[in-house]
Amino acid sequence: THNIFTSVMPQRRSGRGGDKKAQFFESIISQKLDRVRWGMLNAGVAPATRHESYTMYMIACLNAKDRSLAEMIRFHERRVGQLRECLTQRHEADGRTPMHMACAHPQGTKCVSELLDAWLRIDSKNREAWNVRDNMGKCPKDLASGKTLELLEEWVAEDEEEDDTDDAEDDDGLTSTQRSKLKKKMLEASERAGAPRAVVVTKSNDEREEKSIDEDDENEIISTPEPITASSTASVSQVAPEPIWPEVIAWYEAVKNLRPIYEVSVSREDSESEPLPLFPDDTLIDPALWFCNSLNRLQLKLSPRLTILSSQLSRLTNLTILIVSGNGLEALPDCIEQLPLKSLDASRNAIRTLPKMPHKTLEALDMAVNQLSDIESLSECANLVSLALDNNPDLSSLSPLPFDQMKRIISISASHAAIAELDPGLGSLVKLETLILSHNPFTELPPALAACKKLKLIKVDSTKISDNKVLGYIDKGEMKQLAKYWEKNSAKSTGGGGKKGKKR
């Protein structure tokens, strides 16, 4: 019989920089969720990416790693096409899906629950779509037992009950139970992001009222394009303007049908012969965009003429990923601090100073190719996992970073800057793996870096380092030898490490 319980544990490959994909798959097994999140953004994994013929969802389900699975589903629920692909991938040898693997595991009940909820997201009308057969003719339910089997039977019974008592679906295509589950998932997502109270549509009289919701409330959550209460910091409510951009119109249509869109990406070409039109408030951005309050991810690539972002950005209270690279931004709005951002990419702009950042949530920050001269506003960003500051010619120091508190940072890149001296505090970055500091005027690396035992890659091309041994170890990728060299020199400088005289 097929050994469905064999753990798939990727092995780290040798060499500089490590294998990001292998480390990502390993983090699924260990359920280190910060690495899982970082890997989804930075390891170059796609739904079809496999390790030894297993996809990321298969590895989680095969090993009953429900927390890793939930984190990946949360990432993909904003990308419905990718989520569908992740759920329907089959193992090449036996034709099993992630659902087969979760059902077959004795502790797979929580994984099965996560997968069923994910299916409700992508195919609420066909609840049996997950129940496909593998190459042996077995469906997931055939492999389930105990609590997992009870869960599946409850799911099927629920569907049959709805067919008998609620055959007439509402205009949104959902039955009452499906709507209730979708409402619960949306509420949970809102609470995770720290969003204000939801707007509720009461089905009995179709009148909108703002109130707190509890899990048993049978009303439906909807983000409505009609008059919406402003964010909690606003004193008066505002009416959403008529949407103009097709991407924004699509969002409004989606929420009317209780199919909220979580991701909007807008890219426009701007030229002298065909310049982008301005909206009434003299901006290049459709003002209705700021009312798309279900968004988790927003990407704007417009024009060098886009020099500011409106403070209306604060309305997007669920926003976790913001990409505004390649514009002409001269600053970021102060309201950035209020958002639950995990990832911010504002590279390739003309930003001179940074506002305070959402230090409790921010994990990935890319400010490369700007005009920063200092990073004082990052002094509280202890949860960063990756930081890119390359090509800021006037940036002279990394010292404002809270090195002693940065227990999660994996990558720092600050090449082509004006850093003349490096802070010894770099040595307290216990998880640091990559340090890129090429094209800077500093003359030495702090020996304190010897304490960074996970360091795999250092780049210091075109610096003023004169110690050829240091440069040699770096060129060969011999980090352990470099650490020993620094430790030896440090011992000598403190008076230790001298040779003992021979006994006579």
Side-chain angles (χ1 to χ4, degrees):
T1 58
H2 181 72
N3 183 8
I4 197 68
F5 310 120
T6 303
S7 292
V8 180
M9 175 64 80
Q11 300 297 317
R12 292 179 182 268
R13 299 178 185 174
S14 59
R16 287 186 291 176
D19 187 329
K20 290 181 180 179
K21 290 181 182 178
Q23 292 172 27
F24 165 69
F25 286 119
E26 186 180 58
S27 70
I28 295 173
I29 301 294
S30 61
Q31 299 207 91
K32 294 181 178 178
L33 301 188
D34 56 341
R35 280 184 169 270
V36 172
R37 288 191 292 269
W38 183 88
M40 298 291 286
L41 291 168
N42 300 287
V45 291
T49 303
R50 295 180 182 246
H51 174 78
E52 297 180 1
S53 75
Y54 292 90
T55 66
M56 63 183 98
Y57 279 45
M58 290 178 188
I59 289 175
C61 293
L62 193 67
N63 296 277
K65 303 300 180 181
D66 58 282
R67 289 189 293 126
S68 292
L69 179 63
E71 193 66 40
M72 293 185 292
I73 289 174
R74 209 151 35 228
F75 179 86
H76 284 121
E77 68 185 0
R78 303 184 298 270
R79 304 161 175 82
V80 177
Q82 291 185 18
L83 179 58
R84 180 183 294 275
E85 186 177 355
C86 288
L87 295 175
T88 55
Q89 291 278 357
R90 291 173 175 265
H91 189 261
E92 296 166 356
D94 54 28
R96 290 188 172 180
T97 64
M99 182 64 84
H100 282 94
M101 298 175 184
C103 286
H105 199 291
Q107 284 82 45
T109 307
K110 290 183 178 179
C111 285
V112 170
S113 179
E114 292 290 346
L115 293 172
L116 290 174
D117 284 341
W119 267 111
L120 192 61
R121 282 283 188 188
I122 66 171
D123 200 345
S124 59
K125 292 185 178 180
N126 185 7
R127 290 172 57 149
E128 290 293 316
W130 55 269
N131 204 22
V132 297
R133 297 187 180 276
D134 62 15
N135 294 348
M136 299 296 292
K138 292 185 177 182
C139 61
K141 191 176 176 182
D142 296 332
L143 304 174
S145 60
K147 291 183 179 179
T148 302
L149 184 57
E150 290 176 9
L151 176 63
L152 292 176
E153 289 175 343
E154 178 187 350
W155 176 271
V156 173
E158 238 176 35
D159 195 25
E160 291 172 350
E161 181 181 345
E162 286 167 357
D163 288 341
D164 293 337
T165 63
D166 195 19
D167 287 337
E169 295 178 342
D170 286 341
D171 293 337
D172 57 23
L174 297 179
T175 62
S176 60
T177 302
Q178 291 169 348
R179 187 181 299 105
S180 178
K181 286 190 176 182
L182 182 56
K183 178 207 73 173
K184 181 179 176 182
K185 295 292 284 186
M186 292 176 65
L187 181 59
E188 288 173 349
S190 178
E191 288 174 344
R192 281 197 304 270
R197 294 178 298 175
V199 175
V200 175
V201 175
T202 306
K203 290 176 66 67
S204 59
N205 57 13
D206 200 29
E207 293 179 355
R208 291 177 175 83
E209 57 180 287
E210 187 175 319
K211 65 177 181 178
S212 298
I213 304 169
D214 73 48
E215 287 187 359
D216 296 326
D217 194 337
E218 289 301 322
N219 298 321
E220 57 181 298
I221 295 179
I222 183 169
S223 300
T224 171
E226 296 183 29
I228 300 176
T229 304
S231 63
S232 56
T233 57
S235 58
V236 295
S237 62
Q238 296 183 15
V239 176
E242 189 71 22
I244 304 297
W245 281 348
E247 296 89 345
V248 181
I249 293 173
W251 182 89
Y252 280 82
E253 292 298 323
V255 295
K256 283 181 182 178
N257 298 319
L258 202 62
R259 301 285 195 277
I261 292 175
Y262 298 95
E263 177 179 337
V264 166
S265 180
V266 181
S267 180
R268 300 284 189 271
E269 294 294 332
D270 187 31
S271 64
E272 292 184 5
S273 59
E274 294 185 14
L276 291 176
L278 291 175
F279 288 90
D281 55 354
D282 293 329
T283 179
L284 294 172
I285 299 175
D286 184 349
L289 173 66
W290 308 126
F291 290 79
C292 299
N293 53 13
S294 70
L295 294 184
N296 297 135
R297 184 181 189 275
L298 174 62
Q299 180 171 3
L300 295 173
K301 173 67 174 69
L302 298 176
S303 162
R305 291 193 295 133
L306 179 64
T307 58
I308 60 170
L309 286 178
S310 170
S311 59
Q312 294 288 319
L313 178 67
S314 64
R315 289 181 175 277
L316 305 184
T317 53
N318 292 310
L319 196 65
T320 58
I321 300 174
L322 177 61
I323 303 172
V324 288
S325 58
N327 294 292
L329 296 175
E330 296 174 356
L332 294 172
D334 291 339
C335 66
I336 285 283
E337 184 185 15
Q338 304 168 21
L339 300 177
L341 289 179
K342 291 183 178 180
S343 177
L344 171 60
D345 182 353
S347 60
R348 295 180 289 118
N349 282 285
I351 298 171
R352 295 181 178 276
T353 59
L354 289 175
K356 285 188 176 181
M357 290 289 164
H359 60 274
K360 291 183 179 180
T361 59
L362 192 63
E363 297 177 350
L365 177 62
D366 190 345
M367 293 300 304
V369 195
N370 275 286
Q371 299 176 23
L372 298 176
S373 57
D374 70 74
I375 51 172
E376 292 291 340
S377 59
L378 302 184
S379 61
E380 297 181 33
C381 293
N383 288 317
L384 283 172
V385 177
S386 65
L387 174 63
L389 298 167
D390 307 274
N391 290 92
N392 283 280
D394 297 324
L395 182 63
S396 59
S397 177
L398 297 178
S399 294
L401 293 174
F403 294 119
D404 59 333
Q405 302 172 44
M406 300 178 79
K407 305 304 181 185
R408 302 174 63 199
I409 191 79
I410 292 174
S411 172
I412 295 178
S413 182
S415 60
H416 294 273
I419 302 171
E421 186 175 357
L422 293 172
D423 195 313
L426 285 166
S428 62
L429 306 181
V430 294
K431 290 190 176 181
L432 188 66
E433 296 180 6
T434 302
L435 183 62
I436 300 177
L437 297 168
S438 302
H439 297 273
N440 277 288
F442 58 82
T443 58
E444 64 176 356
L445 290 170
L449 282 170
C452 299
K453 302 301 183 183
K454 294 190 175 184
L455 200 54
K456 296 183 178 72
L457 176 64
I458 298 177
K459 287 189 177 182
V460 288
D461 304 326
S462 299
T463 61
K464 295 184 178 181
I465 295 176
S466 57
D467 191 326
N468 290 327
K469 283 193 174 182
V470 169
L471 294 175
Y473 288 133
I474 291 173
D475 287 341
K476 296 175 183 177
E478 297 176 343
M479 297 298 111
K480 289 184 179 180
Q481 289 83 346
L482 176 59
K484 289 178 180 179
Y485 175 71
W486 276 329
E487 289 168 351
K488 181 179 179 181
N489 284 352
S490 295
K492 286 182 179 179
S493 64
T494 56
K499 292 183 179 179
K500 296 181 179 180
K502 292 182 179 180
K503 292 182 179 180
R504 296 183 181 273

